[in-house]
Amino acid sequence: MPTVEVKDVVVHYGLVEALHGVSFTVPAGQIVALVGSNGAGKSTTLKALMGLKKVSAGSIHMDGRRIDATGPAQRVSMGLALSPEGRRLFPRMTVWENLMVGAHTVGSAAARNRSLEQVCALFPRVQERRSQLAGSLSGGEQQMVAIGRALMSHPQILMLDEPSLGIAPKIVSEIAQAIVRLNRETGISVILVEQNARLALKMAHHAYVFEQGTVIRSGSGQELLRDAFVQKAFLGV
Ligand code: ATP
């Protein structure tokens, strides 16, 4: 399992600098949370990791190999996958067809079937709903399909952008438990971007707090849950 190292990464939207030199590490097999308020740069960081946003300065390494100039398709082949904010499913395609979109880099039918079995074991509701149009599912079920689609490419590093957004609390905890179980059972690393800081810090081995395009604090999930600044700014304590 690879380690990811993000070093002094700067990203621009046009002339506006959104990330001002972000650095963090994702050790192999860990859940790493990126928390912080709206617009702090968390989604931009995931896009830079996935190759969807160009890095203006700094570097990204995966297992010692520099990847920041590599295209997104190649990064998928190298083991990175992103479940984007807002889920971005194809609403008029069935659940099964949406999952297959995630498997387009997987050559063999046997490997695709193994991925499907993994997704169905993780989210039995996805299997139950397999023939339905994705657009007809509840928000929580759509989120499960979006995570499932990302898993179909056999990633070693799974990036999740706001998996709890707009989802009923009971389903949020179901999805959170599934992610923790997936990490424990398979050793897949998870980079979790969450507005719900309490949930993210409970799930994470390690976390980084973002503010205005920089990392301002880091520590284990448990340490940050006890941190006075984090409690005041993000936990409503
Ligand atoms: P959110 O949870 O709201 O997505 P975030 O922490 O993920 O917050 P980003 O979406 O990464 O934050 O935004 C970081 C900064 O970049 C913000 O100032 C935002 O306004 C800006 N930004 C994001 N996307 C774009 C875009 N497509 N064009 C211009 N500026 C953008």
Side-chain angles (χ1 to χ4, degrees):
M1 284 287 165
T3 298
V4 175
E5 283 182 280
V6 175
K7 194 150 191 295
D8 301 327
V9 161
V10 175
V11 171
H12 287 83
Y13 289 100
L15 294 176
V16 178
E17 191 174 294
L19 299 184
H20 314 299
V22 163
S23 301
F24 63 92
T25 304
V26 182
Q30 290 208 352
I31 299 180
V32 169
L34 312 182
V35 299
S37 40
N38 260 341
K42 308 176 302 291
S43 298
T44 302
T45 301
L46 292 190
K47 286 178 189 153
L49 274 162
M50 199 63 237
L52 301 170
K53 197 74 194 107
K54 199 169 140 273
V55 165
S56 333
S59 63
I60 304 172
H61 285 83
M62 189 167 153
D63 240 8
R65 190 166 154 201
R66 187 156 181 181
I67 63 162
D68 47 87
T70 306
Q74 206 181 334
R75 290 195 212 185
V76 172
S77 310
M78 293 170 75
L80 282 161
L82 170 67
S83 173
E85 184 168 8
R87 309 186 278 270
R88 304 290 183 91
L89 297 179
F90 298 99
R92 291 170 175 278
M93 284 165 54
T94 65
V95 165
W96 234 223
E97 287 165 345
N98 270 279
L99 291 177
M100 283 307 159
V101 170
H104 74 280
T105 53
V106 179
S108 87
R112 277 199 298 274
N113 284 337
R114 274 200 305 278
S115 298
L116 263 182
E117 278 169 22
Q118 184 188 31
V119 171
C120 293
L122 196 62
F123 297 121
R125 280 161 186 261
V126 168
Q127 185 165 24
E128 286 163 24
R129 302 266 189 261
R130 63 186 178 277
S131 309
Q132 275 181 239
L133 297 183
S136 72
L137 304 185
S138 74
E141 290 166 347
Q142 289 190 22
Q143 188 57 255
M144 293 174 191
V145 178
I147 297 170
R149 181 179 59 185
L151 283 172
M152 289 299 291
S153 64
H154 262 301
Q156 295 180 307
I157 296 154
L158 175 67
M159 297 188 273
L160 305 173
D161 198 347
E162 302 280 7
S164 80
L165 200 66
I167 292 175
K170 185 172 163 289
I171 310 287
V172 168
S173 93
E174 206 176 299
I175 291 175
Q177 283 169 27
I179 294 165
V180 169
R181 203 171 72 235
L182 174 75
N183 165 261
R184 266 200 209 125
E185 291 175 0
T186 66
I188 290 180
S189 310
V190 178
I191 308 179
L192 174 66
V193 161
E194 257 298 332
Q195 294 274 340
N196 184 338
R198 188 181 305 277
L199 175 71
L201 294 177
K202 278 186 187 159
M203 291 169 67
H205 297 100
H206 208 83
Y208 293 86
V209 180
F210 279 63
E211 200 170 270
Q212 295 184 2
T214 57
V215 172
I216 57 157
R217 255 180 171 68
S218 71
S220 73
Q222 291 305 315
E223 277 163 7
L224 291 178
L225 279 168
R226 291 191 300 266
D227 180 280
F229 169 82
V230 171
Q231 288 187 345
K232 188 157 181 283
F234 304 111
L235 302 176
V237 176

